[in-house]
Amino acid sequence: MADEHLDVPVQLRWGDMDINNHINNVQFARIFEEARVRSFARWLRHRPAGFSMLVARQEIVFTAVLEYSMEPVTVRSCVSRIGTTSFNLSLTLIDPDGVTCAVAESTMVSVEPHTGRPTPPPDEVRTILESHLVADAGLPVR
């Protein structure tokens, strides 16, 4: 198991703000998507041919208002669970002052690209995911 997260800087956009002059909650999903893509680009640099995955579920818990800033936010990324055909990616959005503004958990499913049916990820991918598994990461149990 890993003991640290991957910190992904993501620049905010002026257009992400809403009428209340803070980052609109719907934009958090975009920010988390960007961090997810960058995490996989780093972790799966040599992605096996035929490996495909989809987002099956995403839950976001908002914990503080995110103000627009010229400084990037940080999204802390790690794997929080690995199943047979799916795994969870835990993402924490932290503003430039160090305040946690939201936590997301994305359930990713490994799929066979031609049929879209769930399938176990290749052993090589499972090994990479295991190397980014952080104990006690993810959303708190309700």
Side-chain angles (χ1 to χ4, degrees):
M1 251 192 221
D3 60 358
E4 62 185 54
H5 301 77
L6 173 63
D7 284 347
V8 180
V10 178
Q11 186 62 52
L12 299 173
R13 303 176 306 181
W14 179 258
D16 293 340
M17 283 194 299
D18 61 18
I19 197 166
N20 297 315
N21 290 325
H22 59 70
I23 303 302
N24 187 286
N25 287 2
V26 78
Q27 295 303 328
F28 282 60
R30 182 194 59 79
I31 294 166
F32 284 130
E33 175 188 49
E34 185 67 28
R36 187 174 64 242
V37 168
R38 291 183 192 186
S39 296
F40 291 136
R42 183 160 175 184
W43 296 341
L44 298 172
R45 285 187 181 132
H46 305 289
R47 188 174 174 155
F51 172 65
S52 186
M53 61 186 156
L54 301 172
V55 177
R57 181 174 186 269
Q58 180 164 276
E59 184 174 356
I60 301 174
V61 176
F62 300 95
T63 56
V65 170
L66 177 57
E67 302 289 342
Y68 177 78
S69 170
M70 297 294 283
E71 297 298 316
V73 296
T74 299
V75 179
R76 191 156 282 159
S77 174
C78 70
V79 175
S80 55
R81 180 195 65 82
I82 302 172
T84 304
T85 60
S86 67
F87 62 94
N88 289 357
L89 188 66
S90 175
L91 302 155
T92 303
L93 193 155
I94 303 164
D95 77 6
D97 293 327
V99 175
T100 296
C101 297
V103 178
E105 193 161 81
S106 299
T107 301
M108 307 299 297
V109 178
S110 173
V111 295
E112 204 288 321
H114 300 296
T115 65
R117 302 292 307 156
T119 186
D123 291 340
E124 171 187 351
V125 171
R126 180 172 291 281
T127 298
I128 291 168
L129 294 173
E130 288 170 350
S131 73
H132 298 288
L133 184 64
V134 173
D136 301 321
L139 297 176
V141 176
R142 291 184 259 162

